[in-house]
Amino acid sequence: MSAIYVIVTLVNVCGNGLSMWLLLFRTYPKTPSIIFMINLTITDLAMGLALPFQIMYQLQGYNWTLGSSMCNVLTVTFFVNMYCSILTMTAISVERYMGIVKPMRFKRANVKTRYAIIACIFMWAIVLAVLSPLEKTDLTFYVPELNITTCFDILKKDMLPSLAHWTAFLFAMFFVLFLCPFIITVYSYIRIICVLIKNSNSNQKERAVRLAFIVMFVFIVCFAPNNILLLAHTITKLYYKKSLYMYYKLSLSLSCINSCLDPFIYYLASKDFRRKMRQMLKLQNLSMVDMSEMSECRRESFHSARTGSIGKADDKPSISRHHAVNAHASDTPPLFRLSSWWTRIGAVVQTSEDKMVLHPVMSKLHGKLVVLASASPRRREILTNTGLRFEVVPSWFKETLDKALFKTPYEYAVETAKQKALEVAQRMPLKHLKNPDIVIGADTVVTVDGLILEKPVDKQDAYCMLSRLSGKEHSVYTGVVIVLCHEREGGETEYKVVDFYEETKVKFAELSEEMLWEYINSGEPMDKAGGYGIQALGGMLVEYVQGDFLNVVGFPLNHFCKELGRIYNGSPESPAYKIKCKKSQESDGPCTSVSRLSKEAVQPDISSFTNSDSVHNVVEPEATKSSNEGFPHSLVELLDGFKASKTLFTASKLGVFDVMSDSGLTVDEVAIQINASVLGTEKLLDAAVSIGLLHKLKCEDKLVYRNTEQARQFLVSDSPLSLHAYILHCNDMIWPLFNHLESAVREGTNQHERAFGKKPENVFQDIYFKKDDMVMRFMNAMHSIAKVSGRDVATAFDLSRFRTACDVGGCTGAMAYEFTKAHPDLSVIVFDLPAVIEMRSHFQPLEQDSRVSFVAGDFFKDDIPKADLYILARILHDWSDDKVHGLLSKLSKTCTPGCGLLLSEILLDEERTRPSRALLQALSMTEGSQRSATEYSNLIRKHGFSPVHTRYTDNLLDAMLFVKDD
Ligand SMILES: C[S@@+](CC[C@H](N)C(=O)[O-])C[C@H]1O[C@@H](n2cnc3c(N)ncnc32)[C@H](O)[C@@H]1O
């Protein structure tokens, strides 16, 4: 017996020690199964450390000399090892079941990892709770005849107070800690093996069956005898007064063998563990199987049913445009081949820490500032995998081009990509103060039955899209634009635009309702064109793919490399045309198309297509982009700009965005809810659709309207980042002033008197001396802007050396709360006029932070509270230079050297030509003016502050930090 224990101890400590090291320090990511394995290893190692005491006990003739507490520790360790092992193996089997049998429902690794940790804690808690009698009772027993003290060899009847307690104790051990987990484990493995038999390759099946066997073996040999004897002993003891306790004790030794077998389970259950183990054992010669496993592990979890082996020569990754990856080329199911194909690209390009640049032309981009004008993580990943160094600057261009103006879907995709890329190319020098060399834009659309499907707005929309795709072939187009930027003498930037598109055909299998909803509920469809992601779970819906797979993911890499080749190797057929943009020059719009060098003739192969958002059959074959190139689109947009603004204002005021429901509302329903005519409502809703505020969809033969994502985030009045109040302010306060713009320009005065019937002395005093609801309306408007822009301002600089701040004219405190959130050591005093401070409680319930306090006063007349940092957010633009000097000199006197001044405004460019938002706002302003960074610096420097940093945020407000000189 002791010999067995010695062997078990040695194997246990070596095997589990090594496993622990690999699992803790060499296995990433820490998937749920890895967490469970770490748990199992902890219990096994505890067992390995306890075994020498058991050996010593046996060698001393079953005489326990280490006292009763150590006896408890040893006994509990034995049981904890057994029951935690049982529960953990069950957890592993359930986790594999979820990954293989129900993959869609459980796809987010981070959530699962958290659950795995909670599950482990829960297991320990249950086991320790059930074993509590063994923890509290003295388990040693002195046998005078032999003069020995046994440890847990004789169980005292008085350990538990009654027979009922004994029954509960033993039954809890048998049913809760053994039988139920055993049944769950068997069920899970049977289902897993069934699924793998249907779908997987032989390697994977073999491994799953081997794993199932080894787990069964552990259950049957190590745990079952012991637990069955426990039950038998309980029954014989209760009903026949016979004891099987010694047999039970003997069988306990079998259970400790499991602690040696667990490392084999890890080897079979985890690819990453297997790979690391093989590397350790110098089996470094990784096969393609290992390579694919390696990158697959990196992508997510090891348990997916899609972990196929794919080493066939004819299955080499090829990125050719016309290379067909279809279901008929091999007997492997397409899903596995797609997933493996993708995986192998990842494996090939990521084999070294420093990624390789595979395509020769990529090296031509070395040293250039390459920018990807897209927020898509998939495009970013594809480009990152090439080894290309680039920056990501998501475009602000709204994808609201009128699809009816394009003859084909790919023209629409290319134009959208172009607008995205050009917007970034033009914004970067202004906002980021960097001139990019190359900007890449891309847009992917899915077309089926003549409809363009973009990203679904909600689950219902995803359902409509996916059921449209079910059982059919559809096309995926990605339009790509490469903008080459050259700065020329005189500040003129020339943009050379190269565009192309790629089409891939994808066939979906017939999708059952259950499958559709399971996929939709996985959350994956929401941010993807067409409502699916082929590289992830959506791959399971696909029967075949014809063309470039990466094009479906979002970026046709191979075609991109070819185009780069043409550009950099000077191919004459390079389809480029030039656009130039002067930095400070009046023009019809930001850019003027001046010449077109050459452009591939577009051969439309689809005679018509319709817009899924509008569902009408919009067919405008004559209105092509090429025949419209001289048309002043930007001018027409300006002409209609006021109509668009007023549509937004009116829809907001009538509460259109608030009444919308996720399932969509018909015109009649909206009309009733907003208390308006059906005719007028229909016009308003259609106009809102046309400017991208609402979606219009046909679902179950009804036309319904729904909020776009943007409307949901910023226009619904109670959303956290709502601009609703500011929109109402624009409608009620700014719009009337703009009605009198002509007079304002002629007279050079503001038009308050004409617009509101009262000559203003001081706009703020004026607002506040009116009714409370005016104050509230104004405060609400300020609050909403501060909520949207506050975080970017608060985090623009390192403010860790400041302890106290005063937000001068801080209004509701919204900005101050963003500062305290961003800087844990900072307290902020909000200083504003008494009328504002009085009303601040209306904004308090949402924001509770004792580090924000409020002081009432007039910053021109009263003392401003002392602080290390003064915040002036949207204050100075309201006032003339004289008043600004008055306020700054006051602050300067309060400030000691080193004191900070944080200014937040929209900063004009040095030529005072942009951003137009600031310049348009200036038209309605009272006595103030918009200024550039240099103009603000010059004003503030006069009061002994030096500028330290300027931050152009991508938000509504920019920021500058100044420090008081010594
Ligand atoms: C345009 S708002 C800016 C609010 C806030 N700083 C923000 O960025 O959200 C101007 C603020 O200055 C306050 N204000 C105007 N004149 C003031 C004065 N003389 N003394 C104190 N506060 C004043 C107004 O009440 C208002 O809250």
Side-chain angles (χ1 to χ4, degrees):
M1 195 71 162
S2 301
I4 296 178
Y5 278 139
V6 171
I7 296 167
V8 169
T9 308
L10 287 176
V11 178
N12 175 319
V13 173
C14 296
N16 286 298
L18 178 67
S19 302
M20 188 61 135
W21 182 74
L22 285 177
L23 290 168
L24 280 183
F25 304 113
R26 286 285 176 275
T27 314
Y28 302 99
K30 295 280 182 279
T31 59
S33 288
I34 299 297
I35 300 291
F36 291 136
M37 289 176 199
I38 292 173
N39 191 43
L40 208 50
T41 315
I42 292 171
T43 66
D44 287 346
L45 276 174
M47 181 74 172
L49 298 179
L51 278 175
F53 296 102
Q54 178 70 18
I55 296 167
M56 193 188 75
Y57 172 57
Q58 289 184 358
L59 291 178
Q60 286 177 347
Y62 293 88
N63 186 21
W64 184 257
T65 53
L66 298 175
S68 106
S69 306
M70 273 304 283
C71 175
N72 285 51
V73 171
L74 184 73
T75 309
V76 171
T77 306
F78 251 82
F79 281 100
V80 163
N81 170 255
M82 176 163 66
Y83 291 119
C84 274
S85 298
I86 292 176
L87 294 182
T88 311
M89 280 183 201
T90 305
I92 291 177
S93 66
V94 170
E95 207 259 348
R96 290 180 64 79
Y97 170 86
M98 292 186 327
I100 293 174
V101 183
K102 298 270 174 201
M104 292 195 185
R105 236 178 255 168
F106 309 96
K107 68 170 196 135
R108 288 174 56 201
N110 57 342
V111 174
K112 289 194 296 183
T113 304
R114 207 167 53 228
Y115 287 157
I117 294 170
I118 294 169
C120 292
I121 295 169
F122 189 62
M123 277 176 220
W124 279 83
I126 287 194
V127 171
L128 289 173
V130 171
L131 297 180
S132 62
L134 297 180
E135 291 150 25
K136 290 185 271 183
T137 320
D138 180 359
L139 299 172
T140 56
F141 186 83
Y142 180 65
V143 186
E145 298 83 8
L146 301 172
N147 192 25
I148 56 167
T149 302
T150 62
C151 169
F152 196 57
D153 280 336
I154 295 165
L155 208 49
K156 293 172 199 162
K157 205 174 170 194
D158 61 359
M159 185 174 93
L160 290 169
S162 67
L163 199 61
H165 280 87
W166 270 105
T167 315
F169 172 58
L170 296 168
F171 273 75
M173 290 223 268
F174 184 77
F175 286 104
V176 179
L177 299 183
F178 171 70
L179 196 60
C180 292
F182 180 65
I183 292 169
I184 294 171
T185 307
V186 172
Y187 173 79
S188 299
Y189 277 111
I190 290 174
R191 289 296 312 275
I192 289 168
I193 290 170
C194 289
V195 169
L196 291 182
I197 284 172
K198 256 201 261 164
N199 293 333
S200 189
N201 59 66
S202 57
N203 261 351
Q204 196 185 16
K205 248 180 288 184
E206 228 174 78
R207 270 203 309 271
V209 173
R210 259 186 281 154
L211 177 64
F213 272 117
I214 199 160
V215 171
M216 293 304 145
F217 176 82
V218 169
F219 265 96
I220 291 165
V221 175
C222 304
F223 302 139
N226 174 270
N227 281 281
I228 290 167
L229 275 167
L230 177 69
L231 186 68
H233 169 71
T234 313
I235 293 169
T236 53
K237 189 82 187 162
L238 287 178
Y239 297 103
Y240 307 105
K241 304 282 178 244
K242 275 190 180 170
S243 172
L244 299 175
Y245 189 68
M246 275 323 287
Y247 299 107
Y248 168 67
K249 262 302 303 211
L250 279 175
S251 69
L252 264 184
S253 56
L254 277 177
S255 75
C256 70
I257 295 175
N258 97 83
S259 65
C260 307
L261 297 174
D262 289 338
F264 295 98
I265 296 181
Y266 311 153
Y267 189 85
L268 288 174
S270 164
K271 281 193 291 291
D272 209 26
F273 183 87
R274 196 159 52 244
R275 188 171 58 82
K276 291 287 156 43
M277 181 69 99
R278 291 173 71 180
Q279 280 176 343
M280 281 251 332
L281 300 175
K282 299 277 177 241
L283 298 174
Q284 292 278 13
N285 200 0
L286 298 186
S287 64
M288 275 312 274
V289 179
D290 301 309
M291 298 268 270
S292 68
E293 286 178 355
M294 182 167 73
S295 68
E296 193 157 339
C297 284
R298 198 171 16 241
R299 280 197 299 127
E300 205 189 327
S301 111
F302 71 90
H303 63 228
S304 161
R306 290 171 285 146
T307 55
S309 86
I310 31 84
K312 289 186 188 171
D314 64 346
D315 205 9
K316 268 187 195 140
S318 156
I319 322 176
S320 144
R321 174 177 173 184
H322 300 293
H323 176 79
V325 183
N326 64 46
H328 319 296
S330 120
D331 55 359
T332 315
L335 161 66
F336 304 117
R337 292 167 60 260
L338 289 175
S339 137
S340 311
W341 186 80
W342 164 251
T343 300
R344 286 172 58 184
I345 290 178
V348 170
V349 297
Q350 296 195 16
T351 44
S352 71
E353 286 299 312
D354 286 319
K355 291 170 187 161
M356 304 182 272
V357 176
L358 283 184
H359 204 287
V361 77
M362 288 298 210
S363 61
K364 303 255 167 113
L365 300 182
H366 190 70
K368 296 196 188 315
L369 176 52
V370 180
V371 173
L372 174 65
S374 165
S376 156
R378 295 165 291 281
R379 291 197 184 110
R380 183 188 308 202
E381 194 180 345
I382 292 171
L383 275 179
T384 304
N385 280 343
T386 64
L388 180 68
R389 280 175 193 276
F390 62 95
E391 276 187 25
V392 175
V393 179
S395 177
W396 291 354
F397 176 73
K398 309 257 176 321
E399 295 175 21
T400 50
L401 290 178
D402 185 353
K403 296 184 185 87
L405 292 173
F406 300 90
K407 213 171 183 179
T408 61
Y410 55 79
E411 283 178 89
Y412 167 78
V414 166
E415 187 59 24
T416 305
K418 186 167 95 189
Q419 295 301 333
K420 284 183 189 174
L422 282 172
E423 187 279 320
V424 169
Q426 289 165 9
R427 170 162 44 98
M428 278 193 68
L430 294 173
K431 286 277 183 181
H432 300 251
L433 301 178
K434 284 184 206 165
N435 287 315
D437 295 303
I438 291 173
V439 181
I440 303 160
D443 186 58
T444 302
V445 293
V446 169
T447 64
V448 63
D449 302 336
L451 286 173
I452 286 194
L453 309 181
E454 288 183 304
K455 293 169 190 160
V457 287
D458 54 25
K459 287 186 176 179
Q460 196 59 40
D461 197 17
Y463 175 80
C464 290
M465 282 188 187
L466 290 166
S467 34
R468 234 184 249 284
L469 298 177
S470 172
K472 282 189 214 145
E473 190 180 271
H474 61 269
S475 289
V476 180
Y477 293 95
T478 301
V480 179
V481 167
I482 305 168
V483 177
L484 306 158
C485 316
H486 298 285
E487 194 164 350
R488 304 213 319 201
E489 278 170 27
E492 192 180 74
T493 304
E494 186 181 81
Y495 300 108
K496 189 176 170 199
V497 177
V498 177
D499 62 34
F500 65 91
Y501 72 93
E502 182 74 36
E503 179 186 2
T504 304
K505 290 200 188 300
V506 179
K507 163 100 194 286
F508 262 38
E510 290 285 351
L511 307 178
S512 66
E513 286 284 298
E514 192 201 353
M515 228 173 141
L516 270 176
W517 280 112
E518 215 179 316
Y519 182 52
I520 292 165
N521 287 333
S522 74
E524 192 178 279
M526 295 324 290
D527 61 337
K528 302 187 177 67
Y532 71 96
I534 197 165
Q535 70 286 2
L537 295 174
M540 284 187 240
L541 315 177
V542 170
E543 219 166 82
Y544 65 77
V545 174
Q546 260 184 324
D548 184 345
F549 175 75
L550 289 187
N551 185 45
V552 188
V553 181
F555 196 78
L557 185 61
N558 181 258
H559 198 155
F560 173 73
C561 291
K562 282 185 190 148
E563 292 298 335
L564 279 185
R566 283 192 212 177
I567 295 167
Y568 286 101
N569 299 327
S571 160
E573 0 133 33
S574 176
Y577 54 93
K578 277 190 217 156
I579 287 175
K580 76 177 173 186
C581 183
K582 248 186 171 180
K583 264 188 184 160
S584 55
Q585 185 180 299
E586 276 185 40
S587 67
D588 292 356
C591 292
T592 320
S593 181
V594 289
S595 68
R596 187 174 147 159
L597 300 182
S598 74
K599 182 132 168 62
E600 278 167 350
V602 174
Q603 293 298 328
D605 54 3
I606 296 177
S607 55
S608 70
F609 72 98
T610 56
N611 173 352
S612 73
D613 286 352
S614 66
V615 266
H616 313 300
N617 275 337
V618 187
V619 186
E620 297 286 346
E622 300 313 318
T624 63
K625 182 182 63 165
S626 46
S627 64
N628 264 339
E629 258 174 16
F631 189 78
H633 287 287
S634 55
L635 202 61
V636 173
E637 256 182 50
L638 285 182
L639 262 172
D640 286 340
F642 77 98
K643 297 174 195 160
S645 300
K646 200 61 184 172
T647 302
L648 168 66
F649 297 170
T650 307
S652 293
K653 195 151 188 174
L654 292 175
V656 167
F657 307 107
D658 288 344
V659 302
M660 283 299 171
S661 75
D662 280 354
S663 53
L665 294 182
T666 61
V667 172
D668 292 0
E669 287 165 339
V670 178
I672 292 170
Q673 299 238 32
I674 64 169
N675 199 13
S677 70
V678 173
L679 196 70
T681 304
E682 183 168 21
K683 288 190 168 142
L684 180 67
L685 298 186
D686 285 341
V689 169
S690 74
I691 54 175
L693 304 179
L694 293 177
H695 285 293
K696 184 176 181 180
L697 305 138
K698 190 166 190 175
C699 236
E700 291 160 13
D701 289 337
K702 272 193 312 188
L703 280 177
V704 294
Y705 296 83
R706 266 190 236 137
N707 283 337
T708 57
E709 188 47 41
Q710 185 177 244
R712 220 174 281 176
Q713 239 187 309
F714 298 106
L715 301 181
V716 173
S717 63
D718 58 2
S719 77
L721 294 181
S722 178
L723 286 170
H724 180 79
Y726 184 67
I727 292 168
L728 298 194
H729 173 75
C730 290
N731 188 54
D732 300 342
M733 303 297 295
I734 314 290
W735 182 268
L737 293 175
F738 272 77
N739 269 333
H740 301 284
L741 190 56
E742 191 184 324
S743 310
V745 173
R746 283 189 195 287
E747 296 162 12
T749 57
N750 88 51
Q751 297 297 306
H752 267 253
E753 195 171 357
R754 278 200 180 89
F756 305 113
K758 183 177 182 310
K759 195 167 175 56
E761 301 299 321
N762 170 327
V763 181
F764 292 102
Q765 303 285 4
D766 229 51
I767 294 171
Y768 302 143
F769 286 125
K770 281 198 175 172
K771 287 176 269 129
D772 276 357
D773 70 320
M774 282 281 277
V775 184
M776 276 301 285
R777 228 185 306 161
F778 177 77
M779 287 177 74
N780 260 315
M782 295 303 108
H783 193 73
S784 64
I785 294 283
K787 293 286 271 183
V788 172
S789 57
R791 192 170 171 275
D792 281 353
V793 174
T795 55
F797 310 111
D798 175 8
L799 303 177
S800 53
R801 66 199 180 87
F802 302 113
R803 291 285 167 274
T804 54
C806 175
D807 188 0
V808 182
C811 206
T812 66
M815 190 72 94
Y817 285 113
E818 293 299 335
F819 273 80
T820 51
K821 258 188 247 165
H823 306 283
D825 297 327
L826 191 70
S827 307
V828 185
I829 301 164
V830 177
F831 183 81
D832 209 300
L833 292 165
V836 172
I837 300 296
E838 241 174 62
M839 306 291 279
R840 71 164 206 277
S841 56
H842 294 276
F843 300 86
Q844 295 310 297
L846 293 174
E847 304 275 10
Q848 289 295 355
D849 185 339
S850 58
R851 287 183 290 137
V852 176
S853 54
F854 291 81
V855 172
D858 182 326
F859 52 55
F860 291 122
K861 297 182 191 147
D862 301 321
D863 287 342
I864 298 173
K866 271 209 148 309
D868 304 337
L869 172 73
Y870 287 93
I871 302 164
L872 287 171
R874 288 191 292 161
I875 300 298
L876 300 191
H877 74 262
D878 277 326
W879 307 104
S880 63
D881 283 6
D882 283 354
K883 287 246 175 82
V884 167
H885 282 306
L887 175 56
L888 289 174
S889 90
K890 218 165 179 204
L891 289 179
S892 175
K893 282 182 200 135
T894 323
C895 279
T896 49
C899 183
L901 194 155
L902 195 153
L903 174 86
S904 181
E905 294 283 356
I906 313 172
L907 298 176
L908 291 183
D909 66 5
E910 294 308 325
E911 289 91 10
R912 298 181 56 85
T913 56
R914 284 191 204 168
S916 68
R917 203 162 42 83
L919 296 160
L920 293 175
Q921 192 188 356
L923 284 170
S924 68
M925 271 165 40
T926 344
E927 49 177 301
S929 66
Q930 301 285 5
R931 301 173 177 95
S932 68
T934 309
E935 286 170 324
Y936 277 119
S937 288
N938 291 341
L939 280 176
I940 295 172
R941 262 180 211 280
K942 293 205 171 100
H943 299 277
F945 292 93
S946 295
V948 187
H949 293 295
T950 300
R951 170 86 66 205
Y952 292 88
T953 71
D954 279 349
N955 206 313
L956 296 170
L957 296 172
D958 304 311
M960 295 179 80
L961 183 64
F962 295 80
V963 169
K964 182 83 198 298
D965 305 330
D966 292 336

